[in-house]
Amino acid sequence: MCKNPAMSRSPRHRVALLALDGVVAFDLGTPPQVLGAARDEAGHQLYEVRVATPGATPVVSSAGFTVATEHGLEALAWADTVVVAGIEGDRTDVPVDPEVVGALRSAAGRGARTVSICTGAFVLAGAGLLDGRPATTHWYWATRFRRMYPQVLLDPDVLFVDDGDVLTSAGVAAGVDLCLHLVRADHGAAVANRAARRCVVPPWRAGGQSQYIEHHVPAQPDSSTAPARAWALAHLDQPLELAELARRSSMSVRTFTRRFRDETGESPGRWLTQQRVDRARHLLETTDLPVDSVARHSGFGTAAALRAQMATALGVPPSAYRATFRAAV
DNA sequence: ATCGCGCCCCGCCAGG
DNA sequence: GGCCTGGCGGGGCGCG
């Protein structure tokens, strides 16, 4: 791990966070906080985040306070990744400043990764960076987005969209999910999970928008335990033993658990119960099945087991969970 | 409520 | 030596 100390440490990933007038205050905090929480084994930060505004002039945030930064658009030329924070919804139809468009386009042109949070997608789209590509934005502004940018393949029902060098996320807090996704893509699940823990990201955000829970943790493509996970998902309602999953992957139990942990950031058992809780949540939201059969269909033998798992995972009993969503929709 | 049993998780270490 | 593997054992947790 830290056999060669500072010398071999790779340079930090450079991130420019672009704040325009009316910037969503929350989005301004997300990348510094979440990416800043990403550390290597020795505790060194893996990202350097600079907040930039056009001309390094102060901008007024959605919360009313003024944002003063040291960096102008030249930070976009410096960055490996450019993140555009959301702007207040009623400003989304204001044409994007040509200088901003130019800076974004040249950053993208030289291969920088471009990312948006929330309504920041309007800015990327305004710069033409989303043309013909899949993207998402805050669900509330989806209609306007479609009208303004019909050439973008908008999917308003997901937390975020990863299209390689262009990534977009849904409203406000989905920026947290996207930043964690970036960390996961750049440095693996273990680092991302440590960052999440450091940020004390809650496992469940109360409220409606139940469709969003479908999109959980994206799988690492080159992953030796992925087939086992797929198989497990297809047989969630049955008892699944670690030994069986390992055997199906033709690995010893020890190697399987070790790889699984490396690839997903979680132990097989924890992952399994998480998937089962997700399945149960989905059934509670979309069916009228009694809690008892929800428990069976999601692989918890009994309602008691389901209740216990939901209590620890979400802090909410099944019936209350269902009631929340029935009331919310 | 408690205990016992089985499974899981993971550090440790030996071997390829 | 470095890397990956896999067996072992103890501590932990869920469940009956």
Side-chain angles (χ1 to χ4, degrees):
Chain A
M1 320 176 208
C2 36
K3 57 263 170 188
N4 326 353
M7 307 214 42
S8 75
R9 201 197 316 159
S10 53
R12 291 189 290 172
H13 192 101
R14 298 192 291 254
V15 179
L17 174 57
L18 180 60
L20 302 174
D21 245 330
V23 62
V24 174
F26 190 103
D27 297 349
L28 221 42
T30 302
Q33 192 68 43
V34 177
L35 299 178
R39 313 289 174 94
D40 65 15
E41 305 265 337
H44 299 119
Q45 291 193 312
L46 294 164
Y47 297 86
E48 176 179 355
V49 182
R50 293 183 180 175
V51 180
T53 62
T57 53
V59 299
V60 178
S61 76
S62 62
F65 58 77
T66 300
V67 181
T69 74
E70 308 165 28
H71 305 289
L73 293 177
E74 75 282 353
L76 275 60
W78 158 88
D80 304 312
T81 296
V82 176
V83 182
V84 182
I87 53 178
E88 282 175 311
D90 47 18
R91 293 174 186 255
T92 48
D93 53 1
V94 177
V96 184
D97 176 354
E99 278 190 48
V100 172
V101 170
L104 284 171
R105 293 186 70 93
S106 70
R110 72 180 161 76
R113 183 166 58 178
T114 53
V115 177
S116 70
I117 301 176
C118 193
T119 46
F122 282 85
V123 178
L124 290 186
L129 297 177
L130 299 183
D131 290 358
R133 309 190 65 162
T136 192
T137 188
H138 196 298
W139 59 269
Y140 187 85
W141 300 99
T143 311
R144 175 184 285 189
F145 190 94
R146 280 217 181 82
R147 203 175 55 236
M148 290 177 65
Y149 303 109
Q151 69 276 26
V152 178
L153 311 174
L154 185 74
D155 181 355
D157 289 339
V158 294
L159 275 176
F160 57 82
V161 173
D162 178 349
D163 194 38
D165 54 344
V166 177
L167 301 92
T168 49
S169 68
V172 194
V176 175
D177 301 275
L178 179 51
C179 285
L180 286 171
H181 174 72
L182 289 176
V183 176
R184 187 177 292 112
D186 292 344
H187 300 287
V191 173
N193 280 27
R194 279 205 306 274
R197 196 171 309 126
R198 194 183 277 261
C199 293
V200 198
V201 180
W204 176 54
R205 293 175 264 135
Q209 305 183 37
S210 55
Q211 66 270 26
Y212 294 146
I213 72 160
E214 295 280 340
H215 314 271
H216 222 219
V217 175
Q220 301 266 42
D222 55 342
S223 155
S224 56
T225 60
R229 286 201 295 281
W231 187 84
L233 282 177
H235 300 82
L236 258 195
D237 55 330
Q238 298 160 28
L240 296 173
E241 283 190 19
L242 182 57
E244 160 111 51
L245 294 177
R247 196 179 50 73
R248 293 190 151 267
S249 314
S250 35
M251 284 175 224
S252 72
V253 171
R254 186 69 189 88
T255 298
F256 181 79
T257 49
R258 185 163 26 218
R259 292 245 196 115
F260 197 101
R261 195 169 181 68
D262 288 346
E263 290 166 11
T264 69
E266 253 161 342
S267 68
R270 285 190 180 283
W271 179 87
L272 206 56
T273 54
Q274 222 176 67
Q275 301 306 314
R276 287 184 162 143
V277 168
D278 278 356
R279 177 71 53 87
R281 288 162 67 182
H282 186 251
L283 291 172
L284 288 168
E285 289 173 34
T286 58
T287 72
D288 285 316
L289 290 172
V291 173
D292 198 56
S293 52
V294 168
R296 264 182 291 112
H297 283 102
S298 52
F300 300 103
T302 66
L306 171 61
R307 215 179 306 279
Q309 287 306 324
M310 287 195 66
T312 55
L314 313 174
V316 182
S319 54
Y321 182 88
R322 172 175 269 162
T324 302
F325 282 100
R326 285 295 141 104
V329 179

